[in-house]
Amino acid sequence: MRVPLSWLREYVDLPATETGRDVQAKLISAGLEVESVEHLGADLKGPLVVGQVLTIEELEGFKKPIRFCTVDVGQANGTGEPQEIVCGARNFAVGDKVVVVLPGATLPGGFSISARKTYGRTSHGMICSSDELGMGDDGTKGIIVLPPETEVGKNAIELLELVDEVLDIAVTANRGDCLSIRGVAREAAIAYGLPLRDPALLDVPGPNAYGYPVQVSDPFGCDRFTARTVTGLSPEARSPIWLQRRLQKVGMRPISLAVDVTNYVMTELGQPLHAYDRSLVQGTIGVRRAEEGEQIETLDGVTRKLHTEDLVITDERGPIGLAGVMGGANTEIADHTEGEGTTDVVIEAAHFDAVSIARTARRHKLSSEASRRFERGVDPQAAAAAAQRTVDLLVLLAGGTAEAGVTEVVAPSAPHTISVPADHPDKVAGVTYGRETVVRRLQEVGCDVYGQDELIVTVPSWRPDLQEINDLAEEVIRLEGYENLPSTLPKPPAGRGLTHRQRLHRRAGRVLAGAGYVEAPNYPFVGEQVFDQLLLDADDPKRRVVKLTNPLNDEEPALRTSLLPGLFGALRRNDGRGSHDLALFETGLVFLPREEQKIAAVLPVDRRPTDEEIAELDAALPEQPRHVAVVLAGAREQAGWWGKGRPADWADAVEAGRLVAREAGVELTVRGGQYGPWHPGRCAELVVGDTVVGHAGELHPRVVKAFGLPARTCAMELDLDVLEAAGDDTPQAPAISTFPVATQDVALVVDKFVPHAEVEAALRAGAGELLEGIRLFDVYENEEQLGDGKKSLAYALRFRAGDRTLTVDEASAARDAAVALAGERTGAVLRA
């Protein structure tokens, strides 16, 4: 929200010496986030005056049209003689009043003006456009043409209000009242302890039977609708300079008088309005939900298919506007440049349900100034005053006549009342404010307060965010100053530190980073279509998701059940930007819905929740196990003078799982598997005991294509929480023996379908306590030598005793026992 300081001063008598920076500091102290102060015209220096074009000579022989003009600037040039100026713009004519900058002046950006020869003539100054003066877009794309009654020679800096300070405020979602000059002025008045001249305090006529007919069919979606009619508007009437400049300062483009007035009042009072061309509205104006199959062309020229939850404004033909978002093209105000122009208008000032408007705006991807305000909360009591203010301005500026009819459709409602202990803000802040301070601060924000120890507080209509006692406590605390709260450091018990889960999380990240992986955190939101791209079965548990009621993106309305989609997106983006050798990892939560859905209770803030309350809250939340995942593509080892390098493959993904498991104190069992996104012949199950904790391997070609990944991309994902529960990460000192190791190699022939992990497990069990280590060092397949459907697995067995040197017979006996058990369990035989 952009707030010109000059406009703010109309409603609050700020000290004359206060600068924009001073006001910024005060508002920040009161809890508003004032991001910056823009100094308009800070480097602007005159003479900058109003001139009248006397003659125009078209210069020929140049690539673009050039005009040589003489302009009457009065006595501003010291001589009274016409000023000769060369100009390339063509949107002005002889007799027009324009803005002229004379030699010696400086324009925004430090651009100095002097007499100079150009296009064969000497130009003594410049005829200015709005961009050149830093005014913003005025819609003309050319020279500023002033009203005919503007006085020649007048100081244009004052006329156009070029020098000002503008506060840029980041308004939070709960403070819709501050999306108006009125709301910010109220905050400034409180911050300075000054009275507020409320622009909404107007004499408003009551409703009668003569107003434009309105029928509200959905009082929940629209609880207030005010309609006023103004006739006899002059089609030639233009918005005055002061109104155009105020709109430009707040970031809006002047369009036409009727539209500019509605935008002006919306900015001033915070109440969105809409003006309909009365001649184009047919019959009664209605408010209802859209019907199936209805469409509307909005003012931006887009034809939109309406949803049955959309709230629409209608006439006898059907929808003429998306309520609270944007009007329809079929009742648009016509400017006089487009034909005869609009002379009669119907003014709409309504109050719509915030949630309904937010959903409609998001559904149609159509955020407007009106929808931004309705989403955050609009003062329902301001509708009649805003309509009256609009009527008054149209009568004043366009010569219109206000019809006597006033339509007001209002759904019955009562003001919101909260009962709060007088010392509640003291308990929340840990500061003794006292009852008098609490009552005074609540009254300053507009509350009616009664009572002694127990206060009965009636919330003002412009503060719908004040819903319960802690909201009132926050108001008192922020107005008393957050900076005045005492700083108290917490005193945690000694020796707590990180939890076991946190330590494992950090170690997993460090070990993967040490192995050359780069962490790539991603948003936890997914669309349900990714499960089809991951080739998950229809009954896969990962297809059950937690859906968000108010997602940031309608295409990703669910919380992830796997880390892989996010990592795939990061890999694709980096590969598309030229980084082809990639190894990325992420550790994070996944979200699994519970079988029984519960509603979370609201926990108290004035005391510590009990263990039972916390347990009840946890039971209402989805299960959130922590996973770790990696993706690899391109080269795992770079080629160079040291060697050829090698590409990343499935074994690297498996090894990443082993690294993480070792940090948890778990030894993974790796066996062949088949699951979802992995290639059926290159997928490994990662097993702890009898529990599958994850998968690793090369991705299925269809998954690679669906996500736009490089060929032969590999991935791994496993459940860190299961590893934590199964592991013992107590540091173990290595056992160092003074006796030599005995090494025995065996080559076993097994069926091709027998997993290496089963053979290794049998060899470990058969070898007994003397076995120190085992390593698979060769896999060989040859039908002529081994037979059809056979493969050879070669293992290196390391034997060692802790109290003696093993003899050859002892080592051989342990090897033979291992081979025998492997043969018994897997059918393995020694290779000849």
Side-chain angles (χ1 to χ4, degrees), residues 99-117:
V99 178
V100 179
V101 58
L102 301 177
T106 303
L107 293 182
F111 182 59
S112 298
I113 302 298
S114 61
R116 62 190 183 95
K117 189 169 183 178

Side-chain angles (χ1 to χ4, degrees), residues 49 51 148 170 173 184 201 237 244 296 345 373 399 426 434 530 566 614 653 665 667 732 765-766:
V49 298
V184 177
L201 295 180
Q244 293 189 45
I296 184 174
V345 296
R373 286 166 172 79
D426 302 3
V530 301
I614 295 176
E667 191 65 34
Q732 301 289 334

Side-chain angles (χ1 to χ4, degrees), residues 48 87 89 91-92 98-101 107-108 126-138 140-145 160 162 248:
L48 186 72
C87 183
N91 67 312
F92 63 96
V98 295
V99 178
V100 179
V101 58
L107 293 182
M126 187 168 71
I127 302 175
C128 298
S129 68
S130 59
D131 285 339
E132 290 164 341
L133 296 179
M135 295 170 56
D137 184 14
D138 64 355
T140 64
K141 306 295 183 184
I143 293 303
I144 301 171
V145 178
L160 300 176
L162 296 178
Q248 288 174 329

Side-chain angles (χ1 to χ4, degrees), residues 2 109 133 296 316 346 372 564 586 644 699 726-727 774 786 822:
R2 290 171 58 85
L133 296 179
I296 184 174
E316 291 180 351
V346 177
R372 285 182 64 231
L564 292 180
E586 180 179 8
K644 295 181 179 179
L699 294 177
I774 181 171
L786 302 179

Side-chain angles (χ1 to χ4, degrees), residues 338-377:
E338 302 169 5
E340 296 183 357
T342 297
T343 58
D344 302 336
V345 296
V346 177
I347 305 299
E348 166 209 305
H351 184 262
F352 301 110
D353 175 58
V355 174
S356 176
I357 299 306
R359 289 178 176 172
T360 295
R362 188 163 295 145
R363 189 180 296 119
H364 293 282
K365 296 180 174 58
L366 184 62
S367 179
S368 65
E369 291 292 335
S371 69
R372 285 182 64 231
R373 286 166 172 79
F374 280 121
E375 289 171 13
R376 289 161 174 79

